[in-house]
């Protein structure tokens, strides 16, 4: 019975990593749609979100079933509780990608992004993908050192977000209020996507060590 329980915990970790990779793929596609004003790609991100929502429900069901099967303690309990919490972060990551795709669809056939901010979002998309891939890996391998590295790598997204805001506040901005609102929202979506990736890494650190990283307090 113990071996079967351990196997189910490993299966939950694998399912969480799969969900994380799905959210990563959704944001990568949403970024491509945003940069290219590609309605077909944006529509696919939107329609595929149901699959990610089904993954969320499946992960939650697996986690709560593990709580019901036994009264887990110590490491097992941390695995299950961390898994339940991680599902919420992964769900938010998928929804943030969905929001990006919806802005692309709403502005089509026009570009949602003025030319001078496209490079910012291309780089934000790259950083988001890097963090999400790292989060998926640590969900699967439970490598606390790798997870700890991800906490620092989030700084790149914060820097990009600050620089983007300085562009919006520049007197030379000539694209109007609607474009400024879109860019502000989009910047926030990428920043939060990165934050949730890092939160997943923090949960893995807690799962492995039983301690909350200092900068999470």
């Amino acid at each position: 019975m113990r071996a079967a329980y351990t196997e189910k915990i490993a299966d939950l970790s694998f399912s969480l990593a799969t969900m994380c990779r799905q959210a990563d793929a959704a944001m990568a596609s949403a970024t491509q749609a945003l940069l290219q004003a590609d309605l077909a790609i944006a529509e696919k991100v939107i329609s595929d979100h149901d699959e990610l929502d089904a993954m969320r429900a499946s992960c939650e069901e697996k986690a709560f079933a593990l709580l019901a099967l036994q009264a887990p303690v110590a490491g097992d309990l941390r695995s299950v509780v961390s898994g339940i919490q991680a599902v919420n972060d992964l769900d938010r990551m998928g929804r943030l990608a969905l929001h990006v795709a919806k802005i692309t669809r709403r502005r089509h056939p026009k570009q949602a992004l003025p030319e001078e901010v496209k490079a910012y979002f291309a780089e934000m998309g790259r950083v988001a993908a890097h963090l999400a891939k790292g989060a998926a890996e640590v969900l699967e391998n439970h490598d606390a050192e790798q997870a700890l590295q991800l906490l620092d790598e989030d700084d790149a997204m914060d820097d990009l977000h600050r620089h983007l805001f300085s562009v919006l506040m520049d007197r030379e901005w000539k694209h109007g209020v609607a474009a400024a609102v879109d860019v502000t929202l989009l910047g926030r979506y990428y920043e939060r996507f990165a934050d949730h990736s890092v939160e997943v890494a923090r949960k893995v650190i807690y799962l492995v060590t039983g301690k909350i990283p200092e900068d999470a307090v």
Side-chain angles (χ1 to χ4, degrees):
M1 180 177 289
R2 175 63 192 168
Y5 192 75
T6 301
E7 186 176 326
K8 288 180 184 296
I9 289 178
D11 179 59
L12 174 61
S13 296
F14 177 79
S15 296
L16 291 169
T18 301
M19 186 178 175
C20 190
R21 292 190 175 99
Q22 184 76 5
D24 175 25
M27 184 56 97
S29 293
T31 300
Q32 183 182 357
L34 177 67
L35 294 172
Q36 300 174 4
D38 192 314
L39 181 61
I41 296 176
E43 291 286 11
K44 189 172 190 309
V45 173
I46 294 166
S47 63
D48 285 353
H49 184 72
D50 287 346
E51 182 179 346
L52 199 129
D53 204 41
M55 288 183 181
R56 174 196 57 74
S58 175
C59 286
E60 287 179 342
E61 184 178 343
K62 288 178 180 180
F64 286 119
L66 283 167
L67 286 177
L69 282 172
Q70 293 185 19
V73 295
D76 287 349
L77 181 59
R78 290 200 304 271
S79 293
V80 178
V81 172
S82 297
I84 292 170
Q85 293 174 336
V87 169
N88 293 326
D89 290 301
L90 298 173
D91 180 58
R92 287 303 305 152
M93 289 165 67
R95 291 183 185 280
L96 289 162
L98 178 66
H99 294 336
V100 172
K102 284 185 174 180
I103 286 183
T104 299
R105 182 175 68 177
R106 186 165 67 245
R107 296 304 178 197
H108 189 80
K110 294 181 179 180
Q111 291 268 359
L113 295 177
E115 203 60 40
E116 60 259 48
V117 299
K118 278 190 175 182
Y120 284 96
F121 282 95
E123 183 62 10
M124 290 172 94
R126 187 196 68 78
V127 174
H130 171 73
L131 291 171
K133 284 179 174 62
E137 288 173 5
V138 299
L139 280 168
E140 210 162 25
N141 62 28
H142 292 178
D143 186 331
E145 289 188 9
Q146 183 182 356
L148 194 59
Q149 286 181 339
L150 286 177
L151 304 193
D152 294 330
E153 291 171 1
D154 179 45
D155 291 344
M157 184 67 82
D158 293 335
D159 289 342
L160 285 164
H161 190 249
R162 280 194 295 270
H163 291 155
L164 180 65
F165 193 74
S166 70
V167 173
L168 289 170
M169 297 300 292
D170 195 303
R171 292 182 180 179
E172 298 299 317
W173 180 263
K174 57 182 182 296
H175 303 287
V177 174
V181 170
D182 281 348
V183 171
T184 300
L185 287 173
L186 286 163
R188 182 61 172 162
Y189 296 155
Y190 281 88
E191 183 196 30
R192 290 303 297 151
F193 185 94
D195 287 345
H196 284 292
S197 297
V198 169
E199 283 301 320
V200 169
R202 286 192 176 105
K203 289 172 176 63
V204 170
I205 294 169
Y206 171 71
L207 184 162
V208 175
T209 67
K211 298 177 181 179
I212 300 173
E214 290 182 5
D215 67 342
V217 177

